[in-house]
Amino acid sequence: MFELSQTFTFDAAHTLKRHVSPEEAAGSRRIHGHTYTAEVAVKGPRLPDTGMVMDLSLLRATLAEVRSQLDHHLLDEVPGLGAPTLENLCVFIFEQVNARIAQVTVSMVCVSRAAGDRCVFRPQA
């Protein structure tokens, strides 16, 4: 079994309702933005006719489609995302990639921000 991964970045704005003190929550409730990095890993056997798990150009093209739904958007308005948390971004990206690529299994999605925040989603098999 092999695992391939690709990363992409996107810039997006959002608001976030947090259950902390009003002082801590104030910045999150205003529209603000981040630069995100997402990594998507797929796994599968090496195909004997190509020697590849999948053609990386297909994975890159799929990630470009997903990126276009997020980059320079207000995440609060992205259909199907829900609250724009790192966790929901991971699940959203997983669902979008998984719906587009059938020949491999999406094994991991990681979304991080430059501040050091990071979330990893490993869907159950």
Side-chain angles (χ1 to χ4, degrees):
M1 191 67 63
F2 291 87
E3 188 172 71
L4 300 173
S5 69
Q6 282 283 314
T7 61
F8 66 95
T9 60
F10 61 97
D11 296 300
H14 71 112
T15 63
L16 196 59
K17 293 181 177 113
R18 298 175 61 204
H19 300 289
V20 294
S21 71
E23 297 81 25
E24 290 180 274
S28 296
R29 290 190 176 145
R30 289 190 302 269
I31 294 176
H32 62 285
H34 303 282
T35 297
Y36 295 89
T37 299
E39 179 181 8
V40 177
V42 297
K43 68 179 180 180
R46 182 175 47 109
L47 301 174
D49 59 330
T50 64
M52 299 183 279
V53 172
M54 70 175 299
D55 190 317
L56 284 174
S57 66
L58 175 59
L59 181 57
R60 281 191 291 273
T62 300
L63 296 182
E65 290 176 24
V66 175
R67 180 181 184 271
S68 72
Q69 296 177 69
L70 302 170
D71 192 40
H72 290 90
H73 282 81
L74 178 61
L75 297 179
D76 303 57
E77 298 174 352
V78 173
L81 177 59
T85 62
L86 291 174
E87 295 88 345
N88 284 346
L89 282 165
C90 284
V91 171
F92 177 83
I93 293 168
F94 164 78
E95 290 173 345
Q96 296 297 310
V97 174
N98 199 47
R100 289 172 168 79
I101 299 178
Q103 69 267 34
V104 294
T105 301
V106 179
S107 57
M108 185 273 303
V109 176
C110 175
V111 177
S112 59
R113 301 186 308 202
D117 306 318
R118 182 173 182 260
C119 181
V120 177
F121 175 60
R122 297 185 193 283
Q124 300 210 345

